[in-house]
Amino acid sequence: MGRGRAAMSLTVLKPGLLATVQDLGRYGYQKYGVAVGGAMDEPAARVANWLVGNEDAEAVLELTLTGTELRVDQDMWLAVCGGDMGARTDAGEVVPLWRPVWIAEGTILSFRHYQSGCRTYVAIAGGLEANVSMGSRSTYLRGAIGGLDGRTLGTGDRLEIRQRGREALAIDKLEVSSSGRLKWPLWHAGGFAVAPREVHTVRLMQGEHQNLLTAEALRNLYHEVFRIGPSSDRMGYRLQSERKLKFGEQASELITEPVVHGTIQLPPDGNPIVLLADRQTTGGYPRIGQVASVDIPVFAQLKPGDRIRFYSVTPIESERLKLESELDMNQLRTIIALKLHHKT
């Protein structure tokens, strides 16, 4: 089915701490200095889209920690995945996570009570209408492109919803339970949620300049517990620990080279920086590690003060873990599609 003009909408009553429109990012422009961007927790965004019959790359809302309040202007299907912000309606009904949910016109949806994680993704059947820049609707705040004029959501913004395709229309026939203004199926797809832990383990490959660390610093890299610093953002997470990492020889005047998602740089202050979705495309700090791509979504759900520990893996192990994860994701997508079409 083709796409027509937007037929439904959400109104932003309160924007919250940091709410933006995101998709899977803009590729092919890093050589021009344009960040890839996109959803910080890509698996959560993808699953949210699948649950409402959308393709992977449809635009979703990325909400951070707390404070967002939306009014549903017409009946619609949505899915809430990722961090748990205690989504509730104005009638006090709890919105279940990781499943398609039908919500009635006029309902006010609030994300006010942080419970776990850091970022929540809201997908709407049909997808969000937003500015397309270089092939993506993702908001890149530093470049002021994509999303809603390249900015965060604001009070009074009206988020238009694109017309649903064939897969998204199939949801209307789901067998559901109901509670007031909400309806949802009993099954869910929460297997890709980042589980709360006292200390998260993140797998790390050796970086090009890791051999420049002192022997003590190298031990600390893999044995120290790091805290997420307060100045962390979508561009990068700054890690703090009691023991600073140091180099055994001069490494501060390196040639600027390309960096990628999950690259760990070490500036002169000895506190590592993990580069994330809105990272710069090049960097001159020593690159001491590369986070295994399968673990990058972990950072999306960590907030300042949360703790991590690195575990060493080889590139071959990292590739195997990623392939296994994608096989699991593909299996989940197939199961969701069968559920939406009642082929149980």
Side-chain angles (χ1 to χ4, degrees):
M1 179 177 290
R3 300 281 190 168
R5 294 190 305 170
M8 298 185 293
S9 67
L10 290 166
T11 298
V12 180
L13 302 181
K14 295 180 181 178
L17 183 62
L18 177 64
T20 57
V21 174
Q22 299 293 341
D23 58 21
L24 300 186
R26 49 183 57 84
Y27 289 86
Y29 299 93
Q30 292 186 84
K31 59 186 175 183
Y32 304 115
V34 179
V36 173
M40 286 276 282
D41 188 343
E42 183 179 301
R46 291 169 66 191
V47 173
N49 268 324
W50 297 343
L51 287 168
V52 291
N54 293 343
E55 293 297 321
D56 296 50
E58 284 293 348
V60 299
L61 289 179
E62 180 181 272
L63 313 179
T64 306
L65 283 177
T66 187
T68 302
E69 191 171 282
L70 308 169
R71 185 181 69 232
V72 176
D73 295 327
Q74 289 182 265
D75 297 352
M76 63 179 63
W77 285 94
L78 55 78
V80 180
C81 295
D84 186 356
M85 296 185 193
R88 283 173 169 74
T89 69
D90 48 324
E93 300 155 312
V94 176
V95 179
L97 305 181
W98 299 95
R99 68 194 75 197
V101 178
W102 180 91
I103 187 165
E105 176 183 353
T107 302
I108 295 175
L109 188 59
S110 298
F111 299 82
R112 292 186 176 182
H113 308 288
Y114 155 76
Q115 295 181 26
S116 66
C118 182
R119 291 175 175 85
T120 293
Y121 295 86
V122 182
I124 313 297
L128 294 173
E129 193 64 80
N131 295 336
V132 177
S133 178
M134 289 172 268
S136 171
R137 290 183 169 83
S138 280
T139 306
Y140 177 41
L141 296 174
R142 287 178 173 80
I145 57 175
L148 300 184
D149 301 319
R151 59 174 174 80
T152 58
L153 302 190
T155 301
D157 281 342
R158 186 180 175 90
L159 303 170
E160 301 293 341
I161 313 301
R162 288 150 56 81
Q163 284 193 345
R164 292 189 285 168
R166 183 178 64 85
E167 295 295 320
L169 287 168
I171 309 176
D172 291 335
K173 298 179 181 180
L174 275 179
E175 294 182 3
V176 295
S177 298
S178 61
S179 173
R181 295 182 174 183
L182 303 178
K183 299 178 183 177
W184 63 86
L186 295 179
W187 53 269
H188 65 87
F192 282 81
V194 176
R197 289 186 173 90
E198 185 175 341
V199 178
H200 290 263
T201 299
V202 174
R203 287 161 284 201
L204 185 69
M205 293 175 284
Q206 180 176 334
E208 183 175 353
H209 304 119
Q210 192 175 109
N211 62 320
L212 301 180
L213 291 170
T214 65
E216 181 183 8
L218 184 58
R219 287 194 300 271
N220 290 339
L221 176 62
Y222 291 105
H223 292 91
E224 192 76 3
V225 172
F226 294 90
R227 296 183 308 279
I228 307 300
S231 58
S232 300
D233 57 20
R234 281 179 48 91
M235 184 174 179
Y237 269 29
R238 297 176 180 272
L239 308 183
Q240 300 174 339
S241 65
E242 294 181 3
R243 299 176 179 87
K244 309 299 182 186
L245 302 184
K246 298 179 180 180
F247 291 105
E249 53 186 274
Q250 182 56 253
S252 60
E253 297 182 1
L254 299 174
I255 297 174
T256 297
E257 294 180 341
V259 293
V260 297
H261 206 171
T263 294
I264 299 184
Q265 294 182 312
L266 186 63
D269 66 4
N271 292 317
I273 302 173
V274 183
L275 301 183
L276 297 171
D278 286 352
R279 68 196 177 278
Q280 70 274 20
T281 57
T282 61
Y285 291 140
R287 301 182 304 284
I288 62 171
Q290 178 66 41
V291 175
S293 57
V294 72
D295 283 344
I296 290 175
V298 171
F299 285 98
Q301 297 302 343
L302 299 181
K303 60 189 181 302
D306 285 345
R307 303 189 297 167
I308 68 165
R309 176 182 284 115
F310 291 117
Y311 174 78
S312 178
V313 294
T314 66
I316 291 176
E317 289 174 306
S318 176
E319 183 177 8
R320 177 183 59 79
L321 290 166
K322 182 62 175 177
L323 288 173
E324 290 176 354
S325 175
E326 282 302 311
L327 286 173
D328 289 343
M329 287 285 282
N330 288 337
Q331 183 179 48
L332 177 60
R333 183 176 190 174
T334 299
I335 292 171
I336 290 173
L338 291 173
K339 291 286 189 181
L340 295 184
H341 288 279
H342 318 287
K343 297 177 182 178
T344 57

